[in-house]
Amino acid sequence: GVKTLDADGRHATDPASESWLVFSGHFFSGHLSPATLLSRLTDRGLACLADVDGSFAFAWFDGARRRLSLVRDRVGAEPLFYAQTGAGVLFASRIRDLRATGLLPTGISAQGLAEFLTYCYVPSDVTLDKDVHQVPAGGVVVVGPDGRIIERSRWRTLSFAGPYLTDERAIVEQFRSMLEATVVRRIGTHRPGVFLSGGMDSSSILTFLRRHESGPIHSYSY
């Protein structure tokens, strides 16, 4: 089903500092929980995310600074949308939940429509809905005590700084190693399943999965 920020077991609070966190997504590193993440954020701020491996989106209220931070993972795997209103900022993992409040104007975003017709998706932080924005991949949107957005920035920026591999065989081996490690991280404790599209990508994922999973593997295609 569609993940939402208000799902059971996806929140944590710290009564001492009046801080709280609501979370959507999955952690791939260890047994990290929303409560542990909240504690790390309180101690180190967003710098702690350098050690967090997963696909996630969360809203973190820093009780000491009275600030709300809307944060999205490195590649934007988990959705997170927001809108500035007269009363403050609305946020949700689905645009229809924002619309359901009745607090937003109706209409289509001209910029969002232009980007969609040009690129077949919306690459910027706008959406097809008027006045509704998306937190960019690796991005953070900060809301101040008065309910107004005071900062839009990135906690993670993709870098192409060297050094680069130049030997083709070494490039192939590193790619295979990284892809296999990525598959292994996502096996988890649940029964794995693979969507087979018929191409090289999904077939490679299934090959690596079989190396590390001895039980049944459910596959799906159409």
Side-chain angles (χ1 to χ4, degrees), residues 4 12 14 32 37 69 74-75 103 120 150 166 175 184 202 205 212:
T4 60
D14 178 18
L32 191 63
L37 178 59
S69 296
R74 293 168 176 79
V75 297
L103 299 174
C120 295
I150 61 175
T166 56
F175 180 82
V184 171
S202 59
I205 290 173
H212 300 272

Side-chain angles (χ1 to χ4, degrees), residues 40-175:
R40 293 184 183 182
L41 288 167
T42 302
D43 293 340
R44 299 173 52 198
L46 295 178
C48 76
L49 295 180
D51 303 323
V52 176
D53 183 16
S55 59
F56 55 82
F58 64 82
W60 165 44
F61 181 72
D62 183 350
R65 303 176 68 189
R66 314 305 295 177
R67 288 185 175 185
L68 175 71
S69 296
L70 305 177
V71 183
R72 201 170 174 202
D73 63 61
R74 293 168 176 79
V75 297
E78 285 291 316
L80 183 55
F81 304 98
Y82 68 95
Q84 178 80 65
T85 68
V89 172
L90 302 174
F91 63 90
S93 56
R94 301 181 300 188
I95 293 181
R96 68 171 180 253
D97 293 330
L98 297 178
R99 288 289 169 206
T101 65
L103 299 174
L104 300 179
T106 58
I108 295 177
S109 165
Q111 180 180 343
L113 180 60
E115 291 184 11
F116 182 78
L117 294 177
T118 302
Y119 305 108
C120 295
Y121 80 109
V122 181
S124 73
D125 70 333
V126 302
T127 67
L128 287 173
D129 287 56
K130 184 178 180 181
D131 294 341
V132 176
H133 295 257
Q134 56 182 329
V135 179
V140 55
V141 176
V142 181
V143 182
D146 62 352
R148 309 297 297 179
I149 295 173
I150 61 175
E151 179 185 339
R152 293 182 177 90
S153 60
R154 291 183 183 271
W155 67 269
R156 168 75 173 186
T157 302
L158 184 63
S159 173
F160 294 96
Y164 296 103
L165 289 176
T166 56
D167 180 75
E168 186 170 328
R169 182 178 296 276
I171 293 173
V172 170
E173 291 178 352
Q174 184 185 74
F175 180 82

